[in-house]
Amino acid sequence: VAITQAASDIGSDSATLNASINPMGSETAVYFEYGVDTSYGLTTVAYPTPAGYTAQASIPADNLLAGVVYHYRVVARNSAGKTYGADVTFATLAMAPDVTTDVPDSIGLNQANLNGDVDPNGADTTAWFEFGLDTNYGSMAGLVDMGSDDGEVDYTTLLTNLSSGATYHYRLVASNALGLSYGGDM
């Protein structure tokens, strides 16, 4: 008998998958199938459950994507065959965006292309560049909706009407419901 239970210790990139197992008198291997839909595609490590004991199985699933709904089910396998628990879902936590300010390019007499990378980490994210003649910045440009995907997105904006020969500071900034993140000063 294999009963899938609610996940615990859910973070932005990991969770503990739980189940109750009754091996019905046979040594039984227990593992979980999991993925973004009911085709699963991923499995945890299998652990033995001794014959004759009802047991709780708690197995970690790591390297998950932030802000994503996952499906999972327990699988119990012994000499009599496999039993599958019911499909259960959980959502990993979204988190503040990750931001990196990159080196500018296409620098001209009064223009420069500002570059950076944003990882929305599963939450709807807005990004922009702050720039100015010192690290107080004072101006912003290129406000854009980065979406809510999990994964790095390249971001570029062209600044024009800059003062020829002046040294500018800039950084990429991104915000979502979970926080505000700043890239390094360039």
Side-chain angles (χ1 to χ4, degrees), residues 6 19-20 37 46 61 99-100 102-103 107 111 114 117 128 144 151 165 167:
S20 176
D37 57 33
V99 179
T100 304
D102 292 331
V103 176
I107 300 172
Q111 69 179 29
L114 306 184
D117 302 303
W128 63 92
V144 66
T167 299

Side-chain angles (χ1 to χ4, degrees), residues 24-74:
M24 306 297 286
S26 297
E27 186 171 308
T28 301
V30 177
Y31 61 95
F32 291 90
E33 296 179 329
Y34 65 100
V36 296
D37 57 33
T38 55
S39 63
Y40 305 108
L42 301 167
T43 59
T44 64
V45 173
Y47 289 97
T49 299
Y53 295 97
T54 298
Q56 289 297 119
S58 294
I59 302 175
D62 296 316
N63 299 315
L64 304 177
L65 301 174
V68 172
V69 173
Y70 282 89
H71 290 258
Y72 71 100
R73 67 181 176 186
V74 66

Side-chain angles (χ1 to χ4, degrees), residues 9-16 34 60-68 70 90-95 121 150:
D9 301 322
I10 300 169
S12 60
D13 65 352
S14 64
T16 299
Y34 65 100
D62 296 316
N63 299 315
L64 304 177
L65 301 174
V68 172
Y70 282 89
F90 68 91
T92 53
L93 301 177
M95 53 193 248
N121 286 323
D150 197 24

Side-chain angles (χ1 to χ4, degrees), residues 12 65-69 92-99 118-127 144-151 153 174-181:
S12 60
L65 301 174
V68 172
V69 173
T92 53
L93 301 177
M95 53 193 248
D98 291 327
V99 179
V118 176
D119 184 342
N121 286 323
D124 192 35
T125 298
T126 303
V144 66
D145 181 0
M146 302 299 290
S148 61
D149 289 341
D150 197 24
V153 179
S175 175
N176 64 27
L178 300 165
L180 182 68
S181 299

